Amino acid sequence: MASVRYFYQLSNHKQQSSAVLKQKVYQLNNILEQSVQAVDGIHGLAQYYLKRPAEISGYLPKLSQENKMFYLDIKEHDVVKEGRRLNSNITGTGNVSDFTADKKLEITMANALTPAFVSAQKIIKQATWFYYISLDQFVSLYPWVDRDVWHFNSATLKNPLYQKMKKFTEINNQAIWSAPYLDPAGTGRKTSLGKAVFYQQKQKRNR
């Protein structure tokens, strides 16, 4: 009798485990699908702004120079008194005074994507970062991270995901996933999803 009960409990446990696993797979698949939809939506907005700059609800943000690096220059923010900062931080390399009209447009566009980043993270709670990283040596990162903690590094553009994205054209462009990796910002093991942005048939970049 004890033997029968053991095998019954084992069978029941396997069924329950299978049901739990199926539920977790469903939840994970839903998160992945939402992530692709979010990146596709942000990508579409970036392309739209680049083609129709007059419709960007913003302007070139104030940037300051620090040696070879530039950064978004905005007032200090007291998180305790004012709550979470709802800005993307922009950092990059190059001299602000030498920026071309195209680079100014791209930075303005990247800054204008912040509301989309904020909304996407509200929906996808598991998403740690949203960012637009440019082949023109800058990144717009949300949530905000002070530049002394993390800032643009040109070595980032050499990782395998970006190398794959560089091979895309406007015709075969699609969202792709990276292999799992350890987040350099210290948030643990992650995977990233990216899609290239094009302007006048030249790839800019998105993620």
Side-chain angles (χ1 to χ4, degrees):
M1 192 69 181
S3 177
V4 172
R5 183 174 179 80
Y6 166 77
F7 285 110
Y8 168 78
Q9 290 178 335
L10 179 60
S11 176
N12 190 47
H13 175 72
K14 287 182 177 179
Q15 291 176 1
Q16 291 177 346
S17 297
S18 177
V20 170
L21 179 60
K22 287 180 180 179
Q23 180 63 23
K24 289 184 176 180
V25 169
Y26 172 80
Q27 292 173 345
L28 177 59
N29 188 59
N30 189 47
I31 292 169
L32 298 179
E33 288 181 352
Q34 287 183 331
S35 299
V36 172
Q37 291 168 2
V39 167
D40 280 340
I42 294 169
H43 167 266
L45 186 60
Q47 295 283 186
Y48 183 87
Y49 280 156
L50 287 175
K51 291 178 180 178
R52 301 170 179 81
E55 297 187 31
I56 298 178
S57 56
Y59 48 86
L60 180 68
K62 183 179 179 182
L63 302 170
S64 289
Q65 194 79 41
E66 187 176 83
N67 300 318
K68 295 181 179 181
M69 187 181 83
F70 67 89
Y71 61 91
L72 185 64
D73 186 1
I74 59 177
K75 69 176 184 177
E76 293 185 1
H77 184 89
D78 189 326
V79 177
V80 176
K81 293 182 179 180
E82 303 176 64
R84 184 180 183 181
R85 185 195 287 273
L86 296 179
N87 295 96
S88 295
N89 193 12
I90 298 175
T91 59
T93 57
N95 293 315
V96 176
S97 59
D98 296 333
F99 285 179
T100 64
D102 281 355
K103 185 163 185 174
K104 290 178 180 178
L105 170 59
E106 189 181 6
I107 292 175
T108 302
M109 176 276 291
N111 191 51
L113 293 178
T114 300
F117 291 165
V118 175
S119 297
Q121 194 178 55
K122 285 282 186 180
I123 297 170
I124 309 171
K125 304 294 185 183
Q126 297 79 8
T128 309
W129 310 108
F130 283 91
Y131 49 98
Y132 178 94
I133 188 165
S134 172
L135 293 176
D136 212 355
Q137 306 291 300
F138 76 86
V139 64
S140 177
L141 173 70
Y142 179 84
W144 178 281
V145 175
D146 289 335
R147 69 182 187 280
D148 56 344
V149 176
W150 192 88
H151 54 79
F152 175 81
N153 186 331
S154 59
T156 305
L157 294 171
K158 297 177 182 179
N159 77 38
L161 178 65
Y162 295 129
Q163 295 305 307
K164 289 181 181 179
M165 291 171 65
K166 285 176 68 175
K167 297 177 181 178
F168 287 138
T169 66
E170 289 184 275
I171 296 175
N172 65 3
N173 192 26
Q174 61 181 303
I176 58 172
W177 291 94
S178 73
Y181 63 93
L182 287 175
D183 183 7
T187 60
R189 188 169 291 278
K190 303 291 180 184
T191 183
S192 292
L193 174 67
K195 190 171 185 179
V197 170
F198 292 84
Y199 177 58
Q200 296 180 345
Q201 297 184 330
K202 293 181 180 180
Q203 189 177 138
K204 293 295 185 180
R205 190 54 51 82
N206 188 19
R207 191 168 184 179

